[in-house]
Amino acid sequence: MPFEFSLSPDQEAFRDAARAFLQKEVAPIVPEMDEKEEFPKATVRRMQEEGYFGISVPEEYGGLGLGKVGYCLFLEEVGKVDASHGVIVGAHTSLGTTPLLYYGTEEQKRRWLVPAAKGEKLLAFSLTEPGSGSDSGAVHTVAEKEGDHWRITGNKIYVSNGREADAIVLMVATDVKLGPNGGVTAFLIDTNQAGFAIGRCEKKMGLHGTSTAELILDHVEAGPDRVLGEVGKGFHVAMTALDVGRVSLGAASLGGIEAATQEAVHFSKNRTQFGLPISEYEAIQFKLADMAMKAHALRFMVYHAAAHQDRMGTDPKQWGRLERADKTREAAIVKCLASEWASEVIDESLQIHGGSGYIRGTPIERAYRDARISEIFEGTNEIQRLVISRDLLTRGL
Ligand SMILES: Cc1cc2nc3c(=O)[nH]c(=O)nc-3n(C[C@H](O)[C@H](O)[C@H](O)COP(=O)(O)OP(=O)(O)OC[C@H]3O[C@@H](n4cnc5c(N)ncnc54)[C@H](O)[C@@H]3O)c2cc1C
C-alpha cells in the first residue's frame, strides 16, 4: 500500500473555500441551535446549495466529484465548527449516497442519487433496531414477499436525519433465519410512502442539531426497483457504507481535535495565574503537546485511508478479498483512534479552561457533549476492536 500523500492545489482551494463558508455561515448559528435543540434547516439548505451534500459523488450524478479525500477535507472543516452539521452531512453522504453509488442500478442513481447529490433530497440510513445494535445482522424488521413486491413491517431506532429525510436506506430481513449471511436486504424507501411513520425522536446529551428518530413501518410497499444490490446481500451494502462512514467520522473528529487544541492554546496564553500565563507551566505544555501529536498522527491516518478508498473506486465487484479486508481494518482503526483521541483532547482542553470550560454554551463544553457519541455510533469501539483483532488473527499485521 503506498504511503505518500499530498493535496493538489484544487483540493486546497476547495478546503479553503469550505472553511470560509463554514466560519461565515454556520459557526454563528451553532450556539442557538444547540440551546434550542433544533435541526439547522437554513444552514443545511445553504450547504446543499453549495453542493456540499454531494462532494464525493461523481459529477455525472450531480455531485462535485471530489472523492473521499474532498469529502474528508470538508468534514474536517465542519468538525472544527459543529459536530451536528457533520453528522447531518455524514448520515446523508457516507451512509445514504454510498449504497446508491456503489450498488444502485442506473435507474436508481438517476432517481435518488442525482437529487441527493444536488441537495434536493436528504437521505438517512437505518440499520439499528431495539434488539439489534452491535449485533447488527440480527435485523427483525421483515420484508414479506407478495408476488414480485415486498411489504416491510417493523421498528427501527436511532436514525440520524430520520425526521427530515426524503428517502431512507433501510436494512430489512428478507429471511430472518439466515441473518447477515444471506438474510438481510437493503431497500430504499421514500418517507412519504403509505405505512411509513416517524415515532419517538430522542433527547440527547449532545448533537442537539440532529434528529435521532424511531421509524415505524407498517406494510410499506417495496417493488424490485427499491432493492439496493442483490436480495440477501444487504449486510455487505451496510458494511461498505460504514467503512466510508468510519473514515469520514475520523475526519470530523480530527476537526474537533484541531479546534479544541486551538482553543486550549489561545486560552492558556491568555489566562494568568500565579503571575504567569498558564501556558508557561509544564503541566499545561505537556497537555498541549499530546494534543498536537494526536492531531498530527490522525491527519495522516484519515487522508491515507480516504485516498485508499478513492483508489479502490466505487464498484465493489472489482475489489479483491485482501483489498476489501485492508479497507475494513483501516476504517475500524481510524474510527476507533479518532473518536478516543477526540474525547481525550477535548477533555484535556476543557481541563485547561478550568471552571470556564464547564459553563453551558461555551464551545468546549458543547464539544465535550458532542464528541462522546463517536465512540458508540457507526459501530462501538468494542466492535471496532473485534473487527481489527479478528483480521489481525487471520491475516497478521
Ligand atoms: C445519536 C445516535 C445516532 C445514531 N445514528 C444511527 C443511524 O443513523 N443509523 C443507524 O442504523 N444507527 C444509528 N445509531 C445507532 C448506533 O449505531 C448504535 O447505538 C450502536 O451501534 C450500538 O448499538 P446499541 O446502542 O444497541 O448498543 P449494544 O449493542 O447493546 O452495546 C452495549 C455495549 O455492549 C458492548 N458490546 C456488544 N456486543 C459486544 C461484543 N460482542 N463484545 C464486546 N462488547 C460488546 C458494546 O460495545 C456496548 O459497549 C445511532 C445512535 C445514536 C445514539
Side-chain angles (χ1 to χ4, degrees):
M1 212 188 291
F3 273 84
E4 68 282 357
F5 177 75
S6 60
L7 293 179
S8 69
D10 281 354
Q11 287 169 327
E12 286 183 1
F14 168 75
R15 181 202 55 203
D16 294 348
R19 182 180 297 164
F21 168 85
L22 290 161
Q23 293 295 341
K24 179 165 175 263
E25 301 208 25
V26 175
I29 67 105
V30 172
E32 192 178 335
M33 172 209 78
D34 180 59
E35 195 54 38
K36 291 189 172 163
E37 305 197 21
E38 280 175 357
F39 182 83
K41 224 188 252 175
T43 45
V44 165
R45 184 88 289 274
R46 283 289 299 121
M47 284 160 62
Q48 288 173 321
E49 285 165 4
E50 294 291 321
Y52 293 138
F53 279 70
I55 297 168
S56 54
V57 176
E59 287 170 288
E60 61 176 311
Y61 295 117
L64 299 185
L66 298 175
K68 306 293 181 298
V69 170
Y71 174 48
C72 284
L73 285 171
F74 184 71
L75 278 185
E76 181 184 345
E77 294 307 319
V78 177
K80 292 177 188 172
V81 171
D82 177 47
S84 287
H85 283 79
V87 168
I88 294 164
V89 175
H92 168 91
T93 310
S94 307
L95 304 181
T97 65
T98 301
L100 276 161
L101 180 61
Y102 288 41
Y103 294 93
T105 62
E106 196 54 33
E107 195 214 319
Q108 288 172 327
K109 287 177 185 168
R110 295 281 156 216
R111 187 164 164 198
W112 283 285
L113 181 60
V114 171
K118 286 182 169 172
E120 295 160 4
K121 301 263 186 213
L122 186 69
L123 301 179
F125 168 91
S126 175
L127 175 62
T128 306
E129 298 183 1
S132 159
S134 298
D135 186 8
S136 56
V139 167
H140 274 82
T141 293
V142 290
E144 283 167 332
K145 200 98 194 256
E146 281 181 6
D148 69 342
H149 280 53
W150 282 268
R151 292 271 175 194
I152 301 175
T153 300
N155 266 52
K156 293 283 186 182
I157 56 167
Y158 296 165
V159 184
S160 302
N161 292 350
R163 190 178 51 198
E164 298 81 16
D166 298 290
I168 302 190
V169 175
L170 200 67
M171 298 301 152
V172 180
T174 35
D175 188 336
V176 175
K177 289 188 304 301
L178 291 177
N181 305 312
V184 176
T185 301
F187 286 89
L188 195 73
I189 296 301
D190 291 319
T191 53
N192 61 5
Q193 282 187 240
F196 178 91
I198 303 295
R200 176 189 162 90
C201 285
E202 304 295 344
K203 293 282 265 181
K204 305 188 294 293
M205 170 181 174
L207 295 185
H208 286 172
T210 69
S211 65
T212 306
E214 177 188 16
L215 311 181
I216 300 161
L217 299 121
D218 183 8
H219 296 87
V220 174
E221 188 177 346
D225 60 325
R226 301 295 180 136
V227 175
L228 276 173
E230 292 174 44
V231 172
K233 298 278 177 67
F235 201 65
H236 293 288
V237 177
M239 293 305 123
T240 302
L242 285 167
D243 279 351
V244 174
R246 288 167 186 171
V247 173
S248 66
L249 181 151
S253 298
L254 171 60
I257 287 175
E258 289 165 334
T261 304
Q262 292 293 358
E263 278 156 25
V265 167
H266 178 77
F267 184 87
S268 64
K269 282 179 163 176
N270 289 287
R271 173 68 174 166
T272 295
Q273 286 295 279
F274 303 100
L276 285 174
I278 60 169
S279 59
E280 294 296 316
Y281 300 120
E282 200 173 64
I284 302 292
Q285 291 168 351
F286 280 14
K287 288 186 198 297
L288 296 176
D290 285 348
M291 293 177 187
M293 286 193 277
K294 284 168 181 154
H296 185 79
L298 188 56
R299 203 171 294 128
F300 283 99
M301 284 168 47
V302 165
Y303 290 104
H304 180 264
H308 181 208
Q309 292 193 350
D310 277 341
R311 282 195 304 278
M312 285 180 71
T314 58
D315 181 0
K317 291 198 186 79
Q318 304 297 320
W319 300 339
R321 199 172 53 82
L322 294 182
E323 204 180 13
R324 207 183 273 260
D326 278 345
K327 172 173 71 79
T328 296
R329 187 201 289 196
E330 189 169 44
I333 290 172
V334 169
K335 191 273 182 186
C336 201
L337 277 176
S339 57
E340 288 173 12
W341 285 351
S343 292
E344 287 165 22
V345 167
I346 290 166
D347 185 46
E348 285 292 50
S349 179
L350 192 153
Q351 186 72 14
I352 288 173
H353 281 74
S356 72
Y358 195 70
I359 302 303
R360 184 76 187 241
T362 58
I364 198 65
E365 179 265 346
R366 188 179 62 249
Y368 185 84
R369 286 186 281 109
D370 284 347
R372 186 60 179 82
I373 185 62
S374 293
E375 295 180 50
I376 297 170
F377 64 9
E378 306 230 5
T380 67
N381 284 6
E382 287 78 12
I383 295 303
Q384 306 310 313
R385 285 186 164 88
L386 280 182
V387 169
I388 297 161
S389 59
R390 276 180 192 153
D391 188 51
L392 175 66
L393 291 167
T394 312
R395 296 197 300 142
L397 257 182

